[in-house]
């Protein structure tokens, strides 16, 4: 009986462990590490060595197809190795071994810069060295809002709100300053005190109310305040030719008696009849207008005149010699004067007064001609020298 036995190998296979530096590093990894140690990017190397960044990336990726002229690859690799403080010959030999690049003679076809025909397979066909390179050419830029802090945004919003509120406040203050408000006051403006408030009430408004809208609303009230002479029950006949009929040709005209023909002129005068009755009488159908009243100041005095509806007709200080003619209204105006002894009343050329004792205030004095003539006596010019001076000046001006 044959028995077969199997022996097992008691010695196990020994596995050799590798150290951290036992792995093979490619040339591109070493160059990228050295470039990172220097803190340079591909664009930095391009600006310093004057070699395109695409060529630097092709050297690190061991891609000779990215070069336009293969004859310059040796110079580019050696220059880049010197820049990184590496052995240029070793770097070029390693680049040739890893990429399969072989040095071509300068006059050979492989050393020319002609591009391969379309469709020819190349190691880098259809591949972009910028997109596929392990190291980017340009450091990635930050996003739009990467450097924006929320606290800065809040501060900016507060600043914008503050500027907007200040601008709106300044604009509102400017509008308020430029705004004009008219408030009613009791004192009439100085320029308007010289105007008669009833001066425009005597003319009737036009029938077309659209053309004169202001007169249509105020003319009726103004006309009601005017004084109207009342019609007479019995018309008064005034001789129209009475002055002519009473002329005596013996005393007036060319028939005046003289030394030459006194007898002839006397005979014509005796023969001319004298008309005792007027011829062609004129008819008066309304009464005479009411006498006018004027305020006359002989010394400075404050005066205020109110109409029957309590509106101020005149208010101000009348100096010596100033006069104010009162409008003829149905209801008399009233007077308030601060210096009663300085104000007199002129009715139909006659002066009455003064309004009161010197230094006193007179209020609610009716300024109608009948009331004034009944209340006050004729002014004595000799008693008040200022009144005499004002009357004399007025007479000189009238003449």
């Amino acid at each position: 009986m044959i028995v077969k036995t199997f022996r097992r190998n008691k010695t196990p296979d020994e596995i050799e462990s590798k150290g951290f530096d036992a792995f093979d590093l490619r040339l591109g990894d070493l160059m990228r590490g050295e470039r990172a140690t220097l803190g340079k990017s591909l664009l930095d190397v391009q600006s310093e060595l004057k070699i395109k960044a695409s060529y630097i990336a092709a050297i690190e990726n061991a891609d000779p197809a990215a070069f336009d002229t293969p004859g310059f690859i040796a110079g580019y690799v050696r220059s880049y190795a010197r820049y990184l403080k590496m052995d240029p010959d070793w770097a070029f030999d390693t680049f040739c071994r890893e990429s399969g690049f072989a040095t071509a003679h300068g006059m050979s076809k492989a050393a020319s810069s002609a591009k391969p025909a379309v469709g020819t397979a190349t190691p880098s066909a259809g591949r972009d060295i910028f997109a596929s390179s392990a190291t980017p050419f340009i450091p990635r830029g930050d996003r739009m809002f990467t450097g924006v802090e929320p606290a800065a945004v809040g501060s900016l919003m507060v600043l914008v709100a503050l500027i907007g509120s200040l601008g709106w406040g300044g604009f509102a203050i400017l509008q308020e300053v430029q705004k004009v408000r008219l408030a009613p006051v009791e004192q009439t403006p100085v320029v308007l005190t010289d105007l008669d408030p009833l001066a425009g009430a005597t003319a009737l408004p036009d029938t077309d109310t659209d053309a004169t809208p202001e007169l249509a609303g105020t003319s009726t009230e103004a006309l009601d305040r005017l004084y109207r002479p009342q019609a007479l029950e019995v018309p008064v006949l005034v001789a129209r030719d009475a002055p002519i009929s009473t002329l005596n040709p013996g005393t007036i005209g060319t028939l005046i008696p003289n030394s030459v023909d006194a007898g002839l002129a006397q005979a014509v005068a005796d023969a001319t009849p004298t008309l005792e009755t007027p011829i062609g009488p004129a008819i008066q159908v309304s009464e005479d207008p009411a006498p006018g009243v004027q305020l006359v100041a002989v010394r400075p005095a404050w005066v205020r005149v109110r109409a029957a509806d309590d509106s101020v007709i005149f208010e101000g200080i009348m100096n010596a010699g100033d006069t104010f003619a009162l409008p003829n209204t149905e209801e008399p105006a009233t007077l308030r004067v601060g210096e009663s002894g300085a104000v007199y009343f002129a009715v139909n050329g006659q002066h009455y007064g003064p309004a009161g004792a010197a230094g006193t205030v007179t209020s609610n004095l009716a300024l109608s001609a009948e009331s004034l003539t009944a209340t006050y006596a004729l002014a004595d010019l000799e008693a008040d020298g200022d009144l005499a001076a004002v009357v004399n000046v007025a007479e000189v001006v009238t003449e």
Side-chain angles (χ1 to χ4, degrees), residues 214-272:
E214 295 84 4
L215 295 178
T218 59
S219 61
T220 304
E221 180 182 357
L223 289 175
D224 291 339
R225 295 172 52 189
L226 288 179
Y227 170 78
R228 299 184 181 89
Q230 301 296 328
L232 299 177
E233 296 180 358
V234 178
V236 177
L237 301 180
V238 179
R240 183 183 61 184
D241 297 333
I244 299 176
S245 63
T246 57
L247 293 178
N248 188 354
T251 59
I252 299 175
T254 58
L255 299 178
I256 300 175
N258 51 43
S259 58
V260 179
D261 51 356
L264 179 59
Q266 185 64 34
V268 174
D270 295 339
T272 302

Side-chain angles (χ1 to χ4, degrees), residues 60-154:
E60 294 179 353
N61 296 331
D63 185 9
F67 293 90
D68 295 335
T69 305
F72 294 157
I73 294 178
Y76 289 157
V77 174
R78 287 187 172 90
S79 297
Y80 188 39
R82 293 190 192 95
Y83 178 79
L84 298 177
K85 304 287 192 301
M86 299 174 63
D87 185 5
D89 295 333
W90 175 85
F92 179 68
D93 294 340
T94 305
F95 176 81
C96 293
R97 184 176 63 255
E98 292 181 357
S99 63
F101 174 75
T103 305
H105 190 270
M107 300 299 293
S108 64
K109 183 179 180 181
S112 64
S113 60
K115 297 294 181 181
V118 178
T120 304
T122 58
S124 61
R127 184 166 59 90
D128 187 4
I129 62 174
F130 290 94
S132 61
S133 62
T135 303
F137 291 93
I138 304 175
R140 293 182 179 181
D142 296 335
R143 296 183 179 180
M144 182 182 298
F145 299 102
T146 301
V148 178
E149 298 181 0
V153 175

Side-chain angles (χ1 to χ4, degrees), residues 11 25 28 86 124 136 138 202 212 227 233 290 304 336 373 396:
T11 59
L25 293 178
M86 299 174 63
S124 61
I138 304 175
T202 56
T212 56
Y227 170 78
E233 296 180 358
R304 182 172 63 193
R336 179 180 178 85
T373 55
V396 172

Side-chain angles (χ1 to χ4, degrees), residues 312-378:
V312 178
I313 299 176
F314 173 76
E315 183 176 3
I317 296 177
M318 297 180 63
N319 296 316
D322 293 347
T323 60
F324 176 72
L326 297 172
N328 291 330
T329 56
E330 292 183 349
E331 297 295 332
T334 58
L335 172 67
R336 179 180 178 85
V337 58
E339 176 57 60
S340 301
V343 177
Y344 289 83
F345 310 100
V347 181
N348 288 336
Q350 300 294 329
H351 292 78
Y352 294 85
T360 60
V361 178
T362 302
S363 300
N364 299 326
L365 177 62
L367 296 178
S368 62
E370 295 79 4
S371 176
L372 295 176
T373 55
T375 304
Y376 298 98
L378 288 172

